[in-house]
Amino acid sequence: MFPPPIDEFVYISDSTYKREEVIEFESHMLHVLQFEVAAITEKNFLRRYLMAAAADIRSRKFLQYTVMLSNYLIERTMQDYYFVRYVPSLIASSAICLSLHTLGLPAWTPTLQHYTGYAMEDPLFQSCLSDLLHLYQHARRTQLSGDGSLQAVNDKYQDDKYLAVSRIPAPTDLPAITKD
């Protein structure tokens, strides 16, 4: 991704500002923001949390499917404004939990709870997980009917390169809450 050239900002301002003024203002903005201009996304957390999940998944095949299905679910949430209510770490945790549950593996382990900081019985975790399950079920329905927009993610994850995880049926229910 490349920022637009400064001359384009001068142009769109109808030459109200000179090139030097744009540079000066940009510098001022960066100092006010203390150069904190990067956004952390779900994918940043997903990478770390998948390493924790890998400790409890004995099969390489199941691990690969967990990785792909989690990525698919996260990419679906990025298309749905509703999910901005949740922090990226919570969405990543919920995606892993739902992926493990979908694949018939233990949905939440003490290792995941330790590294994510989320407990399965946490109401916010349950809310995000429930919303993610509904999104997954809706994505499957629209994929099967050929209806709906925003099908690029579904199409991408139908490819064998991505283990065709968008074809995996969504579970009908949430994982059970178990107390250790």
Side-chain angles (χ1 to χ4, degrees):
M1 191 162 104
F2 299 100
I6 294 172
D7 294 330
E8 287 198 25
F9 288 110
V10 173
Y11 174 76
I12 62 172
S13 73
D14 199 23
S15 297
T16 303
Y17 301 100
K18 296 181 184 128
R19 190 173 200 283
E20 294 75 25
E21 290 173 310
V22 173
I23 293 170
E24 184 180 326
F25 185 68
E26 183 179 73
S27 175
H28 175 72
M29 282 180 38
L30 287 171
H31 284 293
V32 168
L33 295 173
Q34 298 177 338
F35 289 86
E36 293 184 24
V37 291
I40 296 176
T41 69
E42 295 83 351
K43 294 264 188 167
N44 298 98
F45 290 98
L46 185 65
R47 280 188 283 279
R48 177 173 166 76
Y49 296 166
L50 282 169
M51 286 190 270
D56 297 317
I57 301 174
R58 301 290 175 230
S59 164
R60 179 176 163 86
K61 177 183 173 186
F62 276 117
L63 179 58
Q64 290 172 328
Y65 274 92
T66 303
V67 168
M68 287 299 167
L69 187 54
S70 298
N71 274 288
Y72 166 69
L73 292 171
I74 279 181
E75 287 188 33
R76 290 299 312 205
T77 66
M78 290 179 178
Q79 295 179 310
D80 193 329
Y81 185 73
Y82 185 81
F83 281 87
V84 299
R85 70 183 57 217
Y86 300 116
V87 295
S89 61
L90 181 58
I91 295 172
S93 299
S94 298
I96 292 171
C97 181
L98 186 55
S99 296
L100 292 169
H101 176 62
T102 301
L103 297 170
L105 299 169
W108 206 240
T109 65
T111 305
L112 282 167
Q113 183 171 330
H114 172 78
Y115 283 98
T116 65
Y118 294 108
M120 183 69 133
E121 52 277 348
D122 178 353
L124 192 57
F125 185 82
Q126 284 293 310
S127 175
C128 184
L129 195 55
S130 176
D131 290 339
L132 187 58
L133 175 60
H134 289 111
L135 179 73
Y136 187 17
Q137 291 169 336
H138 178 74
R140 281 291 295 156
R141 280 194 301 275
T142 58
Q143 180 185 30
L144 293 172
S145 69
D147 259 352
S149 59
L150 302 174
Q151 291 300 311
V153 173
N154 275 342
D155 294 345
K156 171 182 173 181
Y157 283 92
Q158 281 186 44
D159 194 288
D160 290 337
K161 174 181 176 183
Y162 298 100
L163 304 176
V165 293
S166 69
R167 294 183 194 157
I168 297 173
T172 55
D173 57 358
L174 292 171
I177 297 175
T178 57
K179 304 267 184 185
D180 290 331

